[in-house]
Protein backbone atom coordinates (compact mmCIF):
# COMPACT_ATOMS: atom_id res chain seq x y z
CA UNK A 1 0.00 0.00 0.00
CA UNK A 2 2.78 2.42 1.00
CA UNK A 3 4.57 1.64 -2.23
CA UNK A 4 1.49 2.45 -4.31
CA UNK A 5 0.99 5.73 -2.43
CA UNK A 6 4.64 6.63 -2.99
CA UNK A 7 4.38 5.78 -6.71
CA UNK A 8 1.29 7.94 -7.13
CA UNK A 9 2.91 10.81 -5.21
CA UNK A 10 6.03 10.66 -7.35
CA UNK A 11 3.80 10.68 -10.46
CA UNK A 12 2.23 13.93 -9.21
CA UNK A 13 5.66 15.44 -8.50
CA UNK A 14 7.11 14.46 -11.84
CA UNK A 15 7.63 17.14 -14.59
CA UNK A 16 5.46 15.08 -17.01
CA UNK A 17 2.51 15.57 -14.68
CA UNK A 18 2.22 19.23 -15.87
CA UNK A 19 1.79 18.05 -19.43
CA UNK A 20 -1.14 15.74 -18.58
CA UNK A 21 -4.61 16.99 -19.46
CA UNK A 22 -7.05 18.16 -16.82
CA UNK A 23 -8.96 14.87 -16.72
CA UNK A 24 -5.85 12.75 -16.20
CA UNK A 25 -4.51 15.03 -13.47
CA UNK A 26 -7.79 14.80 -11.59
CA UNK A 27 -7.84 11.04 -11.91
CA UNK A 28 -4.35 10.69 -10.45
CA UNK A 29 -5.11 13.04 -7.55
CA UNK A 30 -8.30 11.13 -6.82
CA UNK A 31 -6.42 7.83 -6.91
CA UNK A 32 -3.98 9.17 -4.30
CA UNK A 33 -6.83 10.25 -2.01
CA UNK A 34 -8.50 6.84 -2.25
CA UNK A 35 -5.25 5.04 -1.50
CA UNK A 36 -4.67 7.21 1.56
CA UNK A 37 -8.21 6.54 2.80
CA UNK A 38 -7.80 2.79 2.29
CA UNK A 39 -4.50 2.85 4.17
CA UNK A 40 -6.14 4.62 7.10
CA UNK A 41 -8.90 1.99 7.11
CA UNK A 42 -6.43 -0.86 7.22
CA UNK A 43 -4.69 0.76 10.17
CA UNK A 44 -8.01 1.20 11.96
CA UNK A 45 -8.99 -2.42 11.31
CA UNK A 46 -5.63 -3.55 12.65
CA UNK A 47 -6.00 -1.38 15.77
CA UNK A 48 -9.51 -2.66 16.32
CA UNK A 49 -8.44 -6.27 15.94
CA UNK A 50 -5.65 -5.75 18.48
CA UNK A 51 -7.96 -3.92 20.85
CA UNK A 52 -10.64 -6.57 20.67
CA UNK A 53 -7.98 -9.21 21.38
CA UNK A 54 -6.78 -7.29 24.42
CA UNK A 55 -10.32 -6.63 25.54
CA UNK A 56 -11.25 -10.28 25.24
CA UNK A 57 -8.44 -10.97 27.64
CA UNK A 58 -9.52 -8.20 30.02
CA UNK A 59 -13.24 -8.91 29.60
CA UNK A 60 -14.03 -5.25 28.96
CA UNK A 61 -15.60 -5.45 25.54
CA UNK A 62 -18.19 -2.68 25.72
CA UNK A 63 -15.79 0.17 26.18
CA UNK A 64 -13.70 -0.87 23.20
CA UNK A 65 -16.69 -1.27 20.90
CA UNK A 66 -17.87 2.28 21.63
CA UNK A 67 -14.40 3.60 21.05
CA UNK A 68 -14.01 1.64 17.82
CA UNK A 69 -17.36 2.87 16.60
CA UNK A 70 -16.40 6.50 17.26
CA UNK A 71 -13.11 6.00 15.47
CA UNK A 72 -14.82 4.41 12.53
CA UNK A 73 -17.45 7.21 12.43
CA UNK A 74 -14.68 9.82 12.31
CA UNK A 75 -13.07 7.95 9.50
CA UNK A 76 -16.38 7.71 7.66
CA UNK A 77 -16.95 11.48 8.03
CA UNK A 78 -13.51 12.17 6.66
CA UNK A 79 -14.13 9.78 3.83
CA UNK A 80 -17.51 11.33 3.05
CA UNK A 81 -15.83 14.74 2.70
CA UNK A 82 -13.25 13.29 0.35
CA UNK A 83 -15.83 11.41 -1.64
CA UNK A 84 -18.01 14.53 -2.04
CA UNK A 85 -14.99 16.33 -3.40
CA UNK A 86 -14.12 13.49 -5.73
CA UNK A 87 -17.75 13.21 -6.90
CA UNK A 88 -17.77 16.85 -8.01
CA UNK A 89 -14.53 16.23 -9.88
CA UNK A 90 -16.10 13.24 -11.58
CA UNK A 91 -19.01 15.41 -12.73
CA UNK A 92 -16.57 17.74 -14.54
CA UNK A 93 -14.98 14.81 -16.25
CA UNK A 94 -18.30 13.42 -17.40
CA UNK A 95 -19.35 16.74 -18.91
CA UNK A 96 -16.12 16.88 -20.83
CA UNK A 97 -16.81 13.43 -22.27
CA UNK A 98 -20.50 14.09 -22.95
CA UNK A 99 -21.54 10.65 -21.69
CA UNK A 100 -23.12 11.83 -18.48
CA UNK A 101 -26.14 9.53 -18.30
CA UNK A 102 -24.33 6.29 -19.07
CA UNK A 103 -21.52 7.12 -16.66
CA UNK A 104 -23.92 8.11 -13.91
CA UNK A 105 -25.74 4.77 -14.13
CA UNK A 106 -22.48 2.86 -14.01
CA UNK A 107 -21.20 5.00 -11.16
CA UNK A 108 -24.39 4.50 -9.19
CA UNK A 109 -23.95 0.73 -9.45
CA UNK A 110 -20.28 1.02 -8.52
CA UNK A 111 -21.17 3.26 -5.55
CA UNK A 112 -23.77 0.78 -4.32
CA UNK A 113 -21.19 -1.99 -4.31
CA UNK A 114 -18.56 0.25 -2.77
CA UNK A 115 -20.96 1.32 -0.02
CA UNK A 116 -21.69 -2.32 0.79
CA UNK A 117 -17.97 -2.99 0.77
CA UNK A 118 -17.39 -0.01 3.12
CA UNK A 119 -19.96 -1.39 5.55
CA UNK A 120 -18.20 -4.72 5.35
CA UNK A 121 -14.87 -3.14 6.23
CA UNK A 122 -16.50 -1.17 9.06
CA UNK A 123 -18.06 -4.30 10.52
CA UNK A 124 -15.06 -6.47 9.86
CA UNK A 125 -14.21 -8.53 12.92
CA UNK A 126 -17.20 -7.20 14.89
CA UNK A 127 -19.67 -9.88 14.08
CA UNK A 128 -17.87 -13.10 13.44
CA UNK A 129 -17.82 -16.42 15.11
CA UNK A 130 -14.90 -16.37 17.51
CA UNK A 131 -13.87 -19.87 16.39
CA UNK A 132 -13.02 -18.65 12.92
CA UNK A 133 -11.50 -15.36 14.08
CA UNK A 134 -9.08 -17.21 16.31
CA UNK A 135 -7.97 -19.15 13.21
CA UNK A 136 -7.49 -15.98 11.09
CA UNK A 137 -3.74 -16.41 10.49
CA UNK A 138 -4.39 -19.99 9.42
CA UNK A 139 -6.76 -18.63 6.76
CA UNK A 140 -4.48 -15.79 5.65
CA UNK A 141 -0.96 -15.42 6.98
CA UNK A 142 -1.17 -11.73 5.94
CA UNK A 143 -4.47 -11.24 7.76
CA UNK A 144 -3.24 -8.15 9.60
CA UNK A 145 -2.26 -6.43 6.39
CA UNK A 146 -5.87 -5.68 5.53
CA UNK A 147 -7.69 -8.91 4.65
CA UNK A 148 -11.46 -8.41 4.43
CA UNK A 149 -13.99 -11.24 4.85
CA UNK A 150 -17.76 -11.34 5.06
CA UNK A 151 -19.65 -13.72 7.32
CA UNK A 152 -19.93 -16.51 4.74
CA UNK A 153 -16.27 -16.26 3.78
CA UNK A 154 -15.12 -16.76 7.36
CA UNK A 155 -16.36 -20.33 7.33
CA UNK A 156 -15.84 -21.08 3.62
CA UNK A 157 -12.37 -19.82 2.85
CA UNK A 158 -9.71 -22.48 2.35
CA UNK A 159 -6.94 -22.38 4.98
CA UNK A 160 -3.80 -20.97 3.36
CA UNK A 161 -1.69 -24.10 3.79
CA UNK A 162 -4.26 -26.24 2.03
CA UNK A 163 -4.80 -23.62 -0.69
CA UNK A 164 -1.03 -23.46 -1.26
CA UNK A 165 -0.79 -27.23 -1.55
CA UNK A 166 -3.70 -27.45 -4.05
CA UNK A 167 -2.21 -24.58 -6.09
CA UNK A 168 1.12 -26.38 -6.36
CA UNK A 169 -0.62 -29.48 -7.69
CA UNK A 170 -2.66 -27.42 -10.17
CA UNK A 171 0.17 -25.40 -11.72
CA UNK A 172 -0.86 -24.78 -15.38
CA UNK A 173 -1.37 -22.09 -18.00
CA UNK A 174 -5.04 -21.13 -17.45
CA UNK A 175 -6.90 -22.12 -14.31
CA UNK A 176 -10.54 -21.22 -13.69
CA UNK A 177 -11.63 -20.82 -10.06
CA UNK A 178 -15.39 -21.13 -10.55
CA UNK A 179 -16.54 -20.08 -7.05
CA UNK A 180 -13.75 -17.75 -6.02
CA UNK A 181 -15.41 -16.25 -2.91
CA UNK A 182 -13.02 -14.10 -0.89
CA UNK A 183 -10.04 -15.25 -2.96
CA UNK A 184 -8.15 -17.63 -0.67
CA UNK A 185 -7.58 -20.17 -3.45
CA UNK A 186 -7.34 -17.60 -6.24
CA UNK A 187 -4.43 -15.86 -4.50
CA UNK A 188 -2.45 -19.10 -4.26
CA UNK A 189 -3.29 -20.13 -7.85
CA UNK A 190 -1.97 -16.77 -9.04
CA UNK A 191 1.49 -17.82 -7.79
CA UNK A 192 1.52 -21.17 -9.61
CA UNK A 193 -0.51 -20.56 -12.80
CA UNK A 194 0.05 -18.15 -15.68
CA UNK A 195 -3.53 -16.89 -15.77
CA UNK A 196 -6.28 -17.28 -13.18
CA UNK A 197 -9.90 -16.59 -14.12
CA UNK A 198 -11.87 -16.10 -10.92
CA UNK A 199 -15.63 -16.29 -11.19
CA UNK A 200 -18.31 -15.45 -8.66
CA UNK A 201 -21.99 -14.63 -8.88
CA UNK A 202 -21.77 -12.15 -6.01
CA UNK A 203 -20.05 -8.85 -6.97
CA UNK A 204 -19.22 -8.29 -3.30
CA UNK A 205 -17.18 -11.47 -3.22
CA UNK A 206 -15.27 -10.29 -6.27
CA UNK A 207 -14.52 -6.92 -4.66
CA UNK A 208 -13.26 -8.76 -1.58
CA UNK A 209 -11.21 -11.22 -3.60
CA UNK A 210 -9.63 -8.41 -5.62
CA UNK A 211 -8.93 -6.40 -2.47
CA UNK A 212 -7.44 -9.45 -0.73
CA UNK A 213 -5.28 -10.21 -3.78
CA UNK A 214 -3.81 -6.71 -3.45
CA UNK A 215 -2.75 -7.58 0.11
CA UNK A 216 -0.75 -10.40 -1.49
CA UNK A 217 1.03 -8.09 -3.95
CA UNK A 218 -1.35 -7.79 -6.90
CA UNK A 219 -2.43 -4.40 -8.22
CA UNK A 220 -4.79 -3.11 -10.90
CA UNK A 221 -1.78 -2.58 -13.18
CA UNK A 222 0.03 -5.78 -12.39
CA UNK A 223 -1.98 -8.95 -11.94
CA UNK A 224 -2.57 -12.30 -13.64
CA UNK A 225 -6.05 -12.65 -12.16
CA UNK A 226 -9.13 -11.85 -14.19
CA UNK A 227 -12.26 -11.41 -12.07
CA UNK A 228 -15.54 -12.34 -13.76
CA UNK A 229 -18.94 -11.60 -12.29
CA UNK A 230 -21.05 -14.47 -13.58
CA UNK A 231 -23.14 -17.47 -12.70
CA UNK A 232 -20.76 -20.43 -12.69
CA UNK A 233 -23.54 -22.60 -14.15
CA UNK A 234 -24.08 -20.38 -17.17
CA UNK A 235 -20.65 -19.78 -18.55
CA UNK A 236 -20.41 -20.27 -22.28
CA UNK A 237 -17.17 -20.63 -24.27
CA UNK A 238 -15.23 -21.35 -21.12
CA UNK A 239 -11.70 -22.59 -21.76
CA UNK A 240 -9.37 -23.86 -19.09
CA UNK A 241 -6.51 -26.24 -18.48
CA UNK A 242 -7.76 -26.88 -14.97
CA UNK A 243 -11.08 -26.02 -13.29
CA UNK A 244 -11.20 -25.66 -9.51
CA UNK A 245 -14.54 -26.08 -7.75
CA UNK A 246 -15.07 -24.86 -4.21
CA UNK A 247 -18.82 -24.19 -4.13
CA UNK A 248 -21.00 -23.35 -1.11
CA UNK A 249 -21.76 -26.48 0.91
CA UNK A 250 -24.83 -24.97 2.54
CA UNK A 251 -23.16 -23.41 5.58
CA UNK A 252 -21.17 -24.78 8.52
CA UNK A 253 -23.93 -27.31 9.33
CA UNK A 254 -22.68 -29.72 6.69
CA UNK A 255 -21.57 -32.05 9.51
CA UNK A 256 -25.07 -32.27 11.03
CA UNK A 257 -25.60 -35.57 9.26
CA UNK A 258 -22.84 -38.15 9.21
CA UNK A 259 -22.75 -38.29 5.39
CA UNK A 260 -22.80 -35.27 3.11
CA UNK A 261 -24.60 -35.70 -0.22
CA UNK A 262 -23.69 -33.69 -3.28
CA UNK A 263 -27.31 -33.14 -4.28
CA UNK A 264 -27.95 -31.29 -1.00
CA UNK A 265 -25.90 -28.40 -2.35
CA UNK A 266 -27.24 -25.38 -4.26
CA UNK A 267 -26.33 -25.44 -7.11
CA UNK A 268 -26.54 -29.24 -7.17
CA UNK A 269 -23.05 -30.71 -6.66
CA UNK A 270 -23.40 -33.18 -9.55
CA UNK A 271 -24.55 -30.46 -11.97
CA UNK A 272 -21.58 -28.28 -11.00
CA UNK A 273 -19.23 -31.15 -11.79
CA UNK A 274 -20.98 -32.03 -15.10
CA UNK A 275 -20.59 -28.43 -16.28
CA UNK A 276 -16.90 -28.39 -15.45
CA UNK A 277 -15.96 -31.80 -16.83
CA UNK A 278 -17.41 -30.85 -20.24
CA UNK A 279 -14.78 -28.09 -20.45
CA UNK A 280 -11.74 -30.05 -19.28
CA UNK A 281 -11.07 -33.50 -17.77
CA UNK A 282 -8.74 -31.80 -15.28
CA UNK A 283 -11.14 -30.88 -12.51
CA UNK A 284 -10.39 -30.38 -8.83
CA UNK A 285 -13.32 -30.56 -6.40
CA UNK A 286 -12.99 -29.22 -2.84
CA UNK A 287 -15.55 -30.97 -0.63
CA UNK A 288 -16.58 -31.74 2.97
CA UNK A 289 -14.66 -34.41 4.83
CA UNK A 290 -17.89 -36.42 5.24
CA UNK A 291 -18.79 -36.51 1.51
CA UNK A 292 -20.56 -39.74 0.48
CA UNK A 293 -18.15 -42.25 -1.10
CA UNK A 294 -21.02 -43.41 -3.32
CA UNK A 295 -21.38 -39.84 -4.61
CA UNK A 296 -17.63 -39.70 -5.32
CA UNK A 297 -17.93 -42.92 -7.34
CA UNK A 298 -20.80 -41.32 -9.28
CA UNK A 299 -18.54 -38.34 -10.10
CA UNK A 300 -15.93 -40.74 -11.49
CA UNK A 301 -18.61 -42.26 -13.73
CA UNK A 302 -19.67 -38.82 -14.94
CA UNK A 303 -16.01 -38.14 -15.77
CA UNK A 304 -15.89 -41.35 -17.83
CA UNK A 305 -19.18 -40.60 -19.60
CA UNK A 306 -17.73 -37.30 -20.71
CA UNK A 307 -14.68 -38.78 -22.35
CA UNK A 308 -12.36 -38.61 -19.34
CA UNK A 309 -10.96 -41.33 -17.14
CA UNK A 310 -12.97 -42.96 -14.35
CA UNK A 311 -9.99 -42.56 -12.05
CA UNK A 312 -10.35 -40.15 -9.17
CA UNK A 313 -7.86 -39.33 -6.42
CA UNK A 314 -9.27 -38.55 -2.99
CA UNK A 315 -6.90 -36.39 -0.97
CA UNK A 316 -7.55 -35.80 2.71
CA UNK A 317 -6.45 -32.38 3.94
CA UNK A 318 -5.24 -32.27 7.53
CA UNK A 319 -4.18 -29.37 9.71
CA UNK A 320 -2.53 -30.20 13.03
CA UNK A 321 -3.50 -33.83 12.56
CA UNK A 322 -7.18 -32.93 12.24
CA UNK A 323 -9.03 -33.82 9.04
CA UNK A 324 -10.47 -30.58 7.64
CA UNK A 325 -11.59 -31.21 4.08
CA UNK A 326 -11.11 -33.52 1.12
CA UNK A 327 -9.98 -32.61 -2.40
CA UNK A 328 -10.86 -34.75 -5.41
CA UNK A 329 -8.57 -34.72 -8.44
CA UNK A 330 -9.68 -35.87 -11.90
CA UNK A 331 -8.05 -36.25 -15.33
CA UNK A 332 -4.28 -35.83 -15.54
CA UNK A 333 -4.29 -34.38 -12.04
CA UNK A 334 -4.70 -37.86 -10.51
CA UNK A 335 -1.46 -38.67 -8.66
CA UNK A 336 0.23 -35.99 -10.73
CA UNK A 337 3.12 -35.01 -8.44
CA UNK A 338 3.03 -31.38 -9.57
CA UNK A 339 3.36 -31.97 -13.30
CA UNK A 340 2.44 -29.06 -15.56
CA UNK A 341 -0.49 -29.43 -17.97
CA UNK A 342 -0.53 -28.81 -21.67
CA UNK A 343 -2.33 -25.66 -22.59
CA UNK A 344 -5.75 -26.01 -24.21
CA UNK A 345 -4.48 -23.93 -27.13
P1 LIG B 1 -15.21 -26.18 9.44
O1 LIG B 1 -16.69 -26.25 9.40
O2 LIG B 1 -14.63 -25.01 10.09
O3 LIG B 1 -14.65 -27.54 9.97
O4 LIG B 1 -14.70 -26.25 7.95
P2 LIG B 1 -13.73 -27.79 11.23
O5 LIG B 1 -12.71 -26.72 11.43
O6 LIG B 1 -13.23 -29.17 11.06
O7 LIG B 1 -14.86 -27.64 12.31
P3 LIG B 1 -14.97 -28.32 13.67
O8 LIG B 1 -16.21 -27.66 14.23
O9 LIG B 1 -15.14 -29.78 13.41
O10 LIG B 1 -13.72 -27.97 14.42
C1 LIG B 1 -13.38 -26.62 7.61
C2 LIG B 1 -13.03 -26.00 6.30
O11 LIG B 1 -13.97 -26.42 5.31
C3 LIG B 1 -13.13 -24.49 6.26
O12 LIG B 1 -11.96 -23.90 6.75
C4 LIG B 1 -13.32 -24.23 4.79
O13 LIG B 1 -12.06 -24.29 4.14
C5 LIG B 1 -14.12 -25.42 4.36
N1 LIG B 1 -15.51 -25.07 4.21
C6 LIG B 1 -16.43 -25.04 5.18
N2 LIG B 1 -17.63 -24.69 4.65
C7 LIG B 1 -18.86 -24.57 5.38
C8 LIG B 1 -17.45 -24.52 3.31
C9 LIG B 1 -18.33 -24.19 2.23
O14 LIG B 1 -19.53 -23.96 2.36
N3 LIG B 1 -17.78 -24.14 1.00
C10 LIG B 1 -16.45 -24.38 0.80
N4 LIG B 1 -15.97 -24.33 -0.44
N5 LIG B 1 -15.60 -24.68 1.81
C11 LIG B 1 -16.11 -24.74 3.05
Amino acid sequence: MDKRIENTKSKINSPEFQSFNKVKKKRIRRQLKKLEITKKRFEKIKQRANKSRENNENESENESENESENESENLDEEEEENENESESETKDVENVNGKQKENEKEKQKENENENKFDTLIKNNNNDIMSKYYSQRYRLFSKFDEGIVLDQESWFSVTPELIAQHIAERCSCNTLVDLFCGAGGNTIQFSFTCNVVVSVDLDPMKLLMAKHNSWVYGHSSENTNIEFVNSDAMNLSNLKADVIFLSPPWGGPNYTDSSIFHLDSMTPNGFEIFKNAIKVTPNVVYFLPKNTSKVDIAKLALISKENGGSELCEIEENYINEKLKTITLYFGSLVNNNNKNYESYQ
Side-chain angles (χ1 to χ4, degrees):
M1 177 65 61
D2 283 337
K3 207 169 161 206
R4 295 183 64 220
I5 291 177
E6 278 317 306
N7 285 345
T8 317
K9 274 186 182 162
S10 66
K11 220 184 252 177
I12 289 174
N13 293 329
S14 72
E16 298 94 72
F17 185 76
Q18 296 312 321
S19 65
F20 291 157
N21 65 28
K22 196 175 151 195
V23 176
K24 200 167 176 186
K25 279 182 184 169
K26 277 184 180 168
R27 241 182 238 148
I28 295 173
R29 286 203 187 100
R30 210 162 47 221
Q31 201 179 8
L32 178 62
K33 255 182 219 164
K34 280 200 168 176
L35 282 169
E36 283 171 343
I37 290 171
T38 312
K39 189 183 165 193
K40 273 191 192 166
R41 280 182 180 154
F42 286 171
E43 278 160 8
K44 290 284 167 193
I45 288 172
K46 236 197 240 175
Q47 279 174 17
R48 288 166 70 185
N50 288 338
K51 259 185 207 153
S52 99
R53 197 170 43 221
E54 280 165 21
N55 286 339
N56 273 346
E57 279 162 18
N58 299 334
E59 292 180 344
S60 61
E61 256 169 26
N62 291 342
E63 201 183 311
S64 156
E65 262 174 31
N66 291 338
E67 211 176 297
S68 296
E69 236 153 58
N70 289 339
E71 280 170 0
S72 132
E73 270 164 24
N74 290 341
L75 188 59
D76 283 351
E77 272 168 27
E78 195 180 321
E79 183 196 337
E80 209 175 296
E81 265 173 36
N82 283 324
E83 267 179 10
N84 286 342
E85 219 174 278
S86 99
E87 253 171 39
S88 81
E89 281 176 4
T90 314
K91 269 198 179 143
D92 276 359
V93 175
E94 285 166 350
N95 286 334
V96 171
N97 291 338
K99 288 181 176 175
Q100 204 171 349
K101 270 194 177 165
E102 254 177 58
N103 287 348
E104 267 174 12
K105 243 186 175 177
E106 226 166 77
K107 196 144 192 1
Q108 198 184 341
K109 208 173 162 199
E110 245 174 55
N111 280 344
E112 273 171 22
N113 280 336
E114 273 179 18
N115 286 342
K116 279 194 206 161
F117 189 58
D118 287 347
T119 317
L120 195 65
I121 291 183
K122 199 173 154 189
N123 293 337
N124 201 29
N125 307 337
N126 281 356
D127 185 25
I128 46 155
M129 295 148 279
S130 56
K131 167 187 160 185
Y132 295 104
Y133 185 69
S134 65
Q135 297 179 6
R136 61 199 178 282
Y137 301 114
R138 197 185 268 178
L139 303 180
F140 290 95
S141 56
K142 294 194 178 193
F143 184 87
D144 284 347
E145 291 175 45
I147 290 295
V148 175
L149 297 172
D150 64 2
Q151 185 95 8
E152 188 187 1
S153 307
W154 274 104
F155 58 73
S156 320
V157 77
T158 309
E160 191 165 278
L161 266 180
I162 299 177
Q164 256 168 10
H165 167 79
I166 296 173
E168 276 160 23
R169 289 200 55 175
C170 292
S171 165
C172 68
N173 186 33
T174 304
L175 182 141
V176 177
D177 183 357
L178 261 194
F179 300 84
C180 81
N185 290 102
T186 283
I187 289 169
Q188 298 307 323
F189 289 134
S190 74
F191 300 134
T192 64
C193 301
N194 290 337
V195 178
V196 182
V197 180
S198 298
V199 182
D200 210 290
L201 182 60
D202 179 357
M204 289 298 296
K205 293 276 191 300
L206 290 176
L207 276 176
M208 260 188 307
K210 192 185 243 183
H211 169 95
N212 291 337
S213 75
W214 287 13
V215 173
Y216 278 75
H218 290 266
S219 67
S220 51
E221 296 85 21
N222 191 6
T223 184
N224 59 347
I225 309 172
E226 196 187 319
F227 292 99
V228 179
N229 182 204
S230 177
D231 182 347
M233 304 302 281
N234 279 329
L235 277 176
S236 54
N237 300 325
L238 188 64
K239 287 179 175 177
D241 299 314
V242 175
I243 295 187
F244 177 71
L245 305 170
S246 178
W249 302 343
N253 299 336
Y254 65 93
T255 46
D256 281 358
S257 60
S258 58
I259 298 180
F260 178 84
H261 289 285
L262 292 184
D263 51 17
S264 68
M265 286 155 71
T266 312
N268 181 302
F270 290 111
E271 295 304 318
I272 294 172
F273 184 74
K274 275 184 203 162
N275 263 3
I277 207 83
K278 282 179 190 152
V279 178
T280 172
N282 306 325
V283 174
V284 181
Y285 210 167
F286 190 69
L287 286 170
K289 54 194 170 195
N290 54 338
T291 301
S292 152
K293 297 286 183 297
V294 175
D295 284 4
I296 296 176
K298 283 185 191 165
L299 291 179
L301 279 180
I302 295 173
S303 163
K304 194 181 176 196
E305 281 161 15
N306 283 276
S309 152
E310 63 187 337
L311 279 184
C312 160
E313 179 187 344
I314 307 173
E315 178 183 77
E316 295 186 321
N317 308 119
Y318 287 80
I319 291 185
N320 293 340
E321 298 178 7
K322 183 173 183 246
L323 179 59
K324 284 273 161 188
T325 55
I326 61 167
T327 311
L328 308 182
Y329 296 88
F330 294 87
S332 24
L333 293 148
V334 175
N335 296 324
N336 70 325
N337 296 321
N338 303 344
K339 264 185 265 151
N340 282 322
Y341 301 96
E342 279 177 28
S343 162
Y344 58 77
Q345 280 162 338

